[in-house]
Amino acid sequence: MRVLYVEDEQFLAEAVKHNLGKEGIDCDLAFDGEEGLNKAVDEIYDVVILDVMLPKLSGIDILRRMRERKMVTPVIMLSALSEVEDKVHGLEAGADDYLAKPFKTAELVARIKALLRRPAELREEKIKYLNLVYDVNEKSLNGVSLTAKEAGIICELMKMPGKIVKKDYLLNKIWGGDAFGEDNYIEVYISRLRKILRKVDSKAEISSVRGFGYKIVEA
Ligand code: CA
């Protein structure tokens, strides 16, 4: 489990990182809004934790930009300021949970775990990119039914359009623990998905990034 924590109070950030580590949660830190946004967009996290008041970009700005990019990564907002108002702003901007400062690590861990119990894809019933609509409940893409693995792959790609989704990540997430040496399987599913994209006249295509993974981009 890997989380990003964007916090300008470096001492607090390091302490939380340390405590999360003891709970088996890997924590990347960013100390200002710009660095935080870059990491949130470039890396893949299970949960992103955002302080509201940050240099360069606020936590709410980061959250808005993530949601504009259709990223559905769960976000927990933290703030010490006039709680009610911040909470409303954060939730309006698309935060999944809110925690007032000061907080106990145990409370943060409980919130992280609660968010991870409901997978991101279940909270969004439909994921859209260009003229593609993936229906989470039906596991269908523009009305075409997908197999569980096709659905898993396209869902991961569409959650982060334009971003490379690493092969290892897909293997881990979709095939689970017994994915060793099954690289080629992914190729098979990708080529099936490409056929489906052609069939539905998709304006998006899956591009391969050699030795790395795949991304969905405008065709
Ligand atoms: Ca702050």
Side-chain angles (χ1 to χ4, degrees):
M1 192 189 300
R2 191 160 172 242
V3 305
L4 171 66
Y5 180 22
V6 189
E7 171 62 75
D8 55 321
E9 290 165 58
Q10 214 148 328
F11 183 76
L12 172 63
E14 298 287 356
V16 168
K17 178 186 166 88
H18 177 77
N19 289 333
L20 291 180
K22 286 198 283 192
E23 298 284 335
I25 301 172
D26 276 344
C27 181
D28 269 10
L29 298 177
F31 302 116
D32 68 55
E34 232 169 63
E35 188 193 2
L37 178 64
N38 288 339
K39 282 194 173 166
V41 167
D42 289 342
E43 304 283 327
I44 295 171
Y45 295 104
D46 295 300
V47 174
V48 172
I49 304 157
L50 300 172
D51 184 29
V52 171
M53 298 294 285
L54 292 165
K56 296 185 185 172
L57 278 179
S58 77
I60 289 177
D61 291 332
I62 297 176
L63 175 59
R64 286 221 173 87
R65 295 192 196 187
M66 287 172 66
R67 296 303 186 233
E68 275 165 21
R69 288 163 190 257
K70 308 289 177 221
M71 294 177 67
V72 296
T73 314
V75 167
I76 300 174
M77 300 293 299
L78 299 176
S79 178
L81 291 178
S82 63
E83 271 89 23
V84 176
E85 208 170 287
D86 275 359
K87 180 171 181 175
V88 170
H89 284 152
L91 296 176
E92 271 174 4
D96 299 272
D97 204 351
Y98 178 91
L99 196 55
K101 279 176 164 180
F103 55 88
K104 293 210 167 79
T105 309
E107 181 61 26
L108 181 60
V109 169
R111 304 289 183 101
I112 292 173
K113 289 186 173 163
L115 285 177
L116 292 177
R117 273 196 294 273
R118 41 182 195 137
E121 50 265 43
L122 292 182
R123 289 177 292 116
E124 292 262 316
E125 294 194 335
K126 294 199 167 107
I127 302 175
K128 295 175 188 165
Y129 177 56
L130 299 174
N131 66 337
L132 293 180
V133 181
Y134 173 71
D135 186 310
V136 173
N137 297 325
E138 292 179 355
K139 289 196 167 50
S140 69
L141 187 66
N142 291 30
V144 178
S145 298
L146 304 178
T147 65
K149 293 204 165 64
E150 289 164 356
I153 293 171
I154 200 73
C155 177
E156 291 305 314
L157 294 173
M158 285 177 67
K159 277 196 284 186
M160 286 170 280
K163 263 183 73 171
I164 298 172
V165 180
K166 290 179 185 156
K167 250 186 199 175
D168 289 352
Y169 177 81
L170 288 174
L171 280 170
N172 233 317
K173 179 116 187 180
I174 294 157
W175 271 262
D178 40 43
F180 288 106
E182 302 199 6
D183 264 43
N184 294 333
Y185 282 8
I186 287 202
E187 295 289 348
V188 172
Y189 285 96
I190 293 284
S191 90
R192 280 203 230 162
L193 281 168
R194 283 180 173 140
K195 265 185 211 150
I196 293 168
L197 291 181
R198 283 195 292 274
K199 190 167 142 191
V200 301
D201 288 320
S202 167
K203 291 192 164 70
E205 64 181 18
I206 299 172
S207 92
S208 304
V209 185
R210 225 180 162 66
F212 235 28
Y214 306 92
K215 57 182 176 178
I216 195 160
V217 292
E218 193 164 355

